[in-house]
Amino acid sequence: MQFSENKKTCLSLIIPVFNEADAVGLFIDKVTKVFEADPFIEIELIFINDGSTDETLGSLLAIQENDSRVKIIDLSRNFGKEAALTAGLDAAKGDAVIPIDVDLQDPPELILEMAAKWKEGYEVVVGRRTNRDSDSWAKRVSANWFYNVHNIMAHPKLPKNVGDFRLMDRCVVETFQQLPESRRFMKGLFAWVGFRTAYVDYTRPERSAGQSKFNGWKLWNFALEGITSFSTSLLRIWTYIGLGVSLVSFAFAMFVVIKVLLYGVDVPGYASIIILVSFLGGLQLVGIGVIGEYLGRTYIESKRRPIYLVRRTYERSGKNGS
Ligand code: UDP
Ligand code: MG
């Protein structure tokens, strides 16, 4: 987009929140401090309440009383961070849009750096973590494994140590909205749309308040979601495994025939048969599981259900409620 020196640019911050009553106030204070220094940037704060069961909505409404920059989209239940981000992207009106976590793990001051790169002509400016010290050992190792496996199997490759925190020009957001799928692995979709991309590095701090919403099992499912969303190699691999096993059993059959012809029939072999049968049985079940996973995805996708449902939108200027 074109920038003129004296015209205000509007940035939309998209903030998904799920049980974050303690974190929202800290977030607003920080963001206000960061942006009060720049008179040419106007911000719009779009909070997506992703089915919180605590006081999050109440806190947001109280903040909105005195802060007209705040818009709240209250989803009808917990749809997950990916769906909440999609709701935010659909509602954002800014010249650039920035998905950001509410827990201050994505430092708001970095947005100014991102905006500077954007003004240089980059359409996407991505926050990249220089280290993962604020993560647990298990999360670091599993994340590393995930990226390696994902990038071998899927296309396009995901840049490492990059999350949803990024600045996107309006033209990118509009392209993004054309993607029709209802199961949305945002990181992958962000990589898929492409565009001219720059990176800004940062160190990820600890959470400002509350607890992480992503435990081991949720992360495992998230990883599966990522790989199955962007790769069919898990399906194809069974052709090769099947071929390999058939070749080995053919060679084994030849060996047995020759052995019988030379030395006669040999009765022992019970253990090896059981091992082979159970091994192949297991292998087949895994294969069926993988096919089931993809079939399930096709099934869910074919229903064309909406990605999220809004209970109500709270906006200060103009219409209130929807
Ligand atoms: N979040 C959400 N819906 C969910 C889970 C998380 O909107 O079902 C939000 C959460 O409130 C936070 C952001 O997503 O603003 C990142 O979550 P979290 O900090 O728990 O993830 P982590 O930083 O541990 O990966
Ligand atoms: Mg966090």
Side-chain angles (χ1 to χ4, degrees):
M1 76 163 265
Q2 297 292 316
F3 300 98
S4 83
E5 269 310 300
N6 301 318
K7 201 177 152 274
K8 279 196 175 188
T9 45
C10 176
L11 303 182
S12 303
L13 272 57
I14 297 179
I15 314 121
V17 283
F18 175 47
N19 293 343
E20 303 278 9
D22 298 332
V24 285
L26 297 168
F27 178 81
I28 291 277
D29 291 346
K30 179 79 194 202
V31 167
T32 306
K33 211 172 287 165
V34 167
F35 288 98
E36 66 192 359
D38 195 328
F40 294 111
I41 293 184
E42 190 181 300
I43 55 169
E44 168 187 54
L45 298 164
I46 304 179
F47 286 90
I48 301 95
N49 180 30
D50 188 17
S52 300
T53 49
D54 67 352
E55 277 308 300
T56 304
L57 183 62
S59 316
L60 286 171
L61 286 170
I63 291 169
Q64 195 189 42
E65 294 271 301
N66 307 309
D67 194 338
S68 60
R69 301 170 303 175
V70 173
K71 178 174 179 177
I72 307 159
I73 300 174
D74 189 24
L75 300 187
S76 63
R77 63 169 170 86
N78 177 255
F79 280 87
K81 188 183 174 188
E82 315 296 297
L85 282 177
T86 308
L89 286 178
D90 290 344
K93 298 200 181 74
D95 305 312
V97 179
I98 302 132
I100 181 168
D101 288 359
V102 75
D103 55 10
L104 295 178
Q105 288 198 290
D106 302 334
E109 59 271 24
L110 210 72
I111 296 174
L112 296 176
E113 240 176 276
M114 290 177 168
K117 289 246 183 226
W118 171 49
K119 289 183 179 179
E120 281 172 25
Y122 291 100
E123 290 135 344
V124 181
V125 188
V126 184
R128 182 170 49 195
R129 303 166 62 170
T130 45
N131 66 50
R132 283 184 163 262
D133 288 350
S134 60
D135 281 351
S136 66
W137 177 83
K139 198 166 177 183
R140 275 204 301 268
V141 172
S142 56
N144 202 31
W145 264 89
F146 166 71
Y147 282 110
N148 289 338
V149 173
H150 185 279
N151 288 348
I152 289 171
M153 295 203 290
H155 191 77
K157 295 194 185 321
L158 290 181
K160 276 195 183 184
N161 297 328
V162 154
D164 299 322
F165 184 37
R166 61 190 59 219
L167 179 148
M168 288 177 282
D169 189 272
R170 174 124 297 277
C171 68
V172 182
V173 177
E174 272 159 23
T175 320
F176 204 82
Q177 284 167 323
Q178 289 168 16
L179 304 180
E181 56 249 76
S182 56
R183 302 278 292 266
R184 297 173 91 79
F185 181 67
M186 291 305 237
K187 263 188 235 207
L189 294 179
F190 285 146
W192 190 86
V193 294
F195 287 92
R196 226 173 304 135
T197 304
Y199 293 88
V200 290
D201 290 326
Y202 71 103
T203 315
R204 195 157 216 243
E206 299 282 343
R207 227 173 193 282
S208 62
Q211 299 217 320
S212 171
K213 309 294 179 294
F214 289 91
N215 56 26
W217 182 243
K218 216 169 162 184
L219 281 174
W220 165 251
N221 283 319
F222 191 55
L224 276 189
E225 183 80 32
I227 290 171
T228 50
S229 287
F230 284 87
S231 165
T232 50
S233 45
L234 278 180
L235 283 174
R236 200 175 306 148
I237 205 170
W238 291 101
T239 318
Y240 296 101
I241 292 180
L243 264 175
V245 171
S246 309
L247 281 176
V248 171
S249 30
F250 184 72
F252 185 63
M254 287 292 128
F255 167 75
V256 171
V257 168
I258 293 168
K259 199 169 154 220
V260 168
L261 289 177
L262 293 180
Y263 302 106
V265 181
D266 197 8
V267 180
Y270 176 74
S272 55
I273 288 176
I274 290 293
I275 290 169
L276 253 175
V277 167
S278 54
F279 174 70
L280 286 179
L283 215 60
Q284 282 168 352
L285 285 180
V286 176
I288 293 173
V290 171
I291 296 170
E293 175 76 30
Y294 281 93
L295 188 67
R297 292 185 63 86
T298 319
Y299 173 61
I300 300 279
E301 207 62 63
S302 69
K303 289 177 189 267
R304 316 277 352 116
R305 282 192 185 142
I307 301 166
Y308 58 87
L309 291 177
V310 177
R311 179 182 296 120
R312 190 169 165 187
T313 307
Y314 301 85
E315 217 171 342
R316 273 282 297 276
S317 46
K319 41 193 188 314
N320 202 1
S322 68

